[in-house]
């Protein structure tokens, strides 16, 4: 039993919480009806805690408590997903502010103080707090009174146990506080996830590990003997969830909150010291992003359509039969190209990721043996979450870690539904892995890159995510990175032009290539992508 929550305890707790949420995230997803019934709260909480765990894994083994707590909070802030995930990241920040102070001995009294501070901090981050949510569960956990031994203040174990027990009790009362929960016969999904986080904390501190962490049975609906208090009406049904990280001075954030509050609802802004995580539901996604641009520098912008039909709380639909491939892309031309190769396409907004529920439905509709091609590092985690959920229906799923569309096309080129599934996956994985990828884009702002400092309007040439050349002529930059990619060998070059590609650029590149490398095959497609005028693949 721990008397002090030290760095090793924090690591153990975060890893255990991520593991526990991963096991039951589907059940938590099934509870999700507020603020939007998009059935992804469990997944979002899992991804948020996973991001924190990954940040801790990057620390040296001898990292102290202060460094460990900061990494936990920063990792959760950068990786927070969804309304509840953003709030949970603020909880971690509040705990870090108290328990991670230099020289602090994180005993029971300090943990009690930290929980109270975290609850207050999380509540201030939400523009319009609603009772019957994760905030209510957190408030009850922080207000729990632990028994004090005759020798002094409450022990660390007593505080952790009391918080976990109070959270579970508060969770059972959420349908009495929020009308939409009572009507659907569920407890709050975010609150259920928080209970798991607090229960894993108590387990690590007390060394008392349960066999599992259960999601509560569904609450009684009105008319079945259940009682409830009048709650607030359901929120306006907005069109988009907008999330982004924002580099901005702290004193500029109140004005941003006010601007976003006038645009939508479910507004949560967390962070500090120049880095913020913004979450809001709006009808005009562009206006929400423009508000961020007026305040500072938004990045990792994610826009998700909230009207995608989720599968029901009773579980995912039955899968179709046969072998299928699901590809994710943001571009119309690429979507048509993938479809012509036999893939089922999931469209996403540029710079955003598709909802987990949409990917699940696409996987189940593709067959009972499915290969998923994310095509972007940011989509990979969501694709893996969707695969795990769809796998509950008995579907065999392989998510190939493709980071670019050209890798997905290379994988599709060798796809053979008549092969054994495992053999097909191996062949597709090898083809994708053997494809080097690069692209050309236009710099939007001054930045430090591996090739030097770029200015707005500069043409950047990137190979596998790294800037290798900065220029002024898009065609010349494209030729430069293609030459560097071919220096390592190659037999086939794929060039995919975007909406901003200059007229005739493909012909110029092809002409130069045929003159210098007549042994290399060259193919061109119109991809229609917005942000990258040229995509290049070399196999």
């Amino acid at each position: 039993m721990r008397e002090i929550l030290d760095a090793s305890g924090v690591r153990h707790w975060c890893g255990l919480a991520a593991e526990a949420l991963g096991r039951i995230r589907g059940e938590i997803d099934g509870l999700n009806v507020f603020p939007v019934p998009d059935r992804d709260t469990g997944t979002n909480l899992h991804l948020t805690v996973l991001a924190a765990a990954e940040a801790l894994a990057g620390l040296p083994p001898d990292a102290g408590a202060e460094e460990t707590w900061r990494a936990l909070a920063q990792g959760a802030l950068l990786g927070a997903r969804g309304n509840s995930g953003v709030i949970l990241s603020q909880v971690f920040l509040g705990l870090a502010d108290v328990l991670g102070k230099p020289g602090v001995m994180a005993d029971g009294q300090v943990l009690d103080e930290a929980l109270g501070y975290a609850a207050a901090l999380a509540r201030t981050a939400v523009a319009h707090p609603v009772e019957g949510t994760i905030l209510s569960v957190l408030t009850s956990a922080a207000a729990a009174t632990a028994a004090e031994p005759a020798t002094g203040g409450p022990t660390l174990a007593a505080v952790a146990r009391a918080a976990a027990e109070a959270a579970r009790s508060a969770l059972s009362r959420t349908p009495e506080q929020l009308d939409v929960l009572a009507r659907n016969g569920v407890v709050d999904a975010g609150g259920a996830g928080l209970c798991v986080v607090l229960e894993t904390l108590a387990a690590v501190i007390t060394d008392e590990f349960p066999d599992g962490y259960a999601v509560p049975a569904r609450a009684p609906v009105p008319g079945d003997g259940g009682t409830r208090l009048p709650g607030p009406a359901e929120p306006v049904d907005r069109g988009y969830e907008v999330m982004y990280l924002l580099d901005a001075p702290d004193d500029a954030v109140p004005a941003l909150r006010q601007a976003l509050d006038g645009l939508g609802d479910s507004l949560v802004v967390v962070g500090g010291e120049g880095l913020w995580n913004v979450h809001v539901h709006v009808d005009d996604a562009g206006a929400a992003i423009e508000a961020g641009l007026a305040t500072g520098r938004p990045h990792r912008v994610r826009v998700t359509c909230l009207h995608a039909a989720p599968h029901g709380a009773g579980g995912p639909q039955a899968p179709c039969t046969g072998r299928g491939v699901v590809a994710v892309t943001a571009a119309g031309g690429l979507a048509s190209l993938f479809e012509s190769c036999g893939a089922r396409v999931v469209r996403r907004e540029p710079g955003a990721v598709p909802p987990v529920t949409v990917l699940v439905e696409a996987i189940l509709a593709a067959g009972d043996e499915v290969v998923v091609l994310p095509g972007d590092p940011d989509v990979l985690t969501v694709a893996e979450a969707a695969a795990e959920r769809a796998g509950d229906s008995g579907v065999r799923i392989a998510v190939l870690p493709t980071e670019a569309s050209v890798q997905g096309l290379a994988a599709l080129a060798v796809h053979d539904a008549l092969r054994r599934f495992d053999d097909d996956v191996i062949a597709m994985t090898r083809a994708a892995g053997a494809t080097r990828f690069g692209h050309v884009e236009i710099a939007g702002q001054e930045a430090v890159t591996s090739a030097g400092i770029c200015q707005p309007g500069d043409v950047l040439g990137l190979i596998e995510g790294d800037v290798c050349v900065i220029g002024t002529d898009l065609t010349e930059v494209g030729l430069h990175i293609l030459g560097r990619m071919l220096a390592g060998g190659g037999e086939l070059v794929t060039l995919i032009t975007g909406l901003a590609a200059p007229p005739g650029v493909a012909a110029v590149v092809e002409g130069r290539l045929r003159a210098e490398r007549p042994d290399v095959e060259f193919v061109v497609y119109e991809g229609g992508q917005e942000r990258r005028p040229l995509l290049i693949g070399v196999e």
Side-chain angles (χ1 to χ4, degrees), residues 312-337:
Q317 68 199 56
C320 297
T321 58
R323 177 84 51 81
V325 178
V326 173
V328 181
T329 182
L334 281 169
S336 299
L337 187 56

Side-chain angles (χ1 to χ4, degrees), residues 161-469:
R161 283 197 192 101
E165 291 168 0
R168 185 63 70 168
S169 178
L171 179 66
S172 68
R173 298 193 298 272
T174 55
E176 301 172 10
Q177 299 171 291
L178 191 54
D179 184 72
V180 65
L181 300 180
R183 290 202 306 273
N184 285 274
V186 296
V187 294
D188 180 66
L194 178 65
C195 284
V196 173
V197 172
L198 293 175
E199 286 165 358
T200 52
L201 175 62
V204 168
I205 289 173
T206 62
D207 285 331
E208 298 169 358
F209 299 94
D211 293 334
Y213 299 89
V215 170
R218 296 172 69 83
V221 298
D224 290 342
T227 60
R228 58 181 173 85
L229 299 176
E234 293 182 61
V236 177
D237 186 16
R238 302 292 182 180
Y240 299 96
E241 176 188 60
V242 177
M243 292 188 67
Y244 49 81
L245 296 177
L246 181 69
D247 296 331
D250 294 7
D251 58 6
V253 172
L256 173 66
R257 291 181 194 269
Q258 184 175 3
L260 292 175
D261 195 27
L263 292 173
D265 50 48
S266 297
L267 173 61
V268 187
V269 182
V270 302
E273 299 181 359
L275 178 62
W276 302 85
N277 193 317
V278 178
H279 171 282
V280 66
H281 292 173
V282 293
D283 287 323
D284 188 346
I289 297 170
E290 288 171 1
L293 286 167
T295 306
R297 185 179 75 89
H299 49 109
R300 293 199 195 177
V301 179
R302 295 195 297 270
V303 180
T304 303
C305 179
L306 294 174
H307 294 307
H311 62 267
Q317 68 199 56
C320 297
T321 58
R323 177 84 51 81
V325 178
V326 173
V328 181
T329 182
L334 281 169
S336 299
L337 187 56
F338 278 123
E339 287 172 346
S340 69
C341 294
R344 178 178 292 272
V345 173
V346 172
R347 290 288 300 272
R348 62 181 177 88
E349 296 291 331
V353 297
V356 172
T357 50
V358 173
L359 269 175
V360 170
E361 290 169 359
I363 291 170
L364 296 178
D368 55 4
E369 294 181 337
V370 181
V371 179
V372 182
L373 306 173
D376 188 286
D378 290 337
V379 179
L380 178 59
T381 302
V382 177
E384 289 173 339
E388 183 169 332
R389 187 189 299 181
D392 293 339
S393 295
V395 183
R396 296 186 68 195
I397 306 165
V399 179
L400 271 58
T402 54
E403 298 183 47
S405 297
V406 289
Q407 289 185 311
L409 291 172
L412 270 170
V414 301
H415 167 55
D416 184 352
L418 299 180
R419 276 193 296 236
R420 290 177 58 252
F421 181 65
D422 291 341
D423 293 338
D424 197 25
V425 169
I426 290 171
M428 295 176 74
T429 301
R430 285 175 176 167
T435 302
R436 300 195 69 199
F437 59 92
H439 73 268
V440 175
E441 64 181 58
I442 309 301
Q445 61 189 17
E446 181 178 346
V448 178
T449 75
S450 54
I453 299 176
C454 69
Q455 302 296 330
D458 282 346
V459 181
L460 308 180
L462 294 87
I463 297 177
E464 299 190 356
D466 291 329
V467 177
C468 62
V469 62

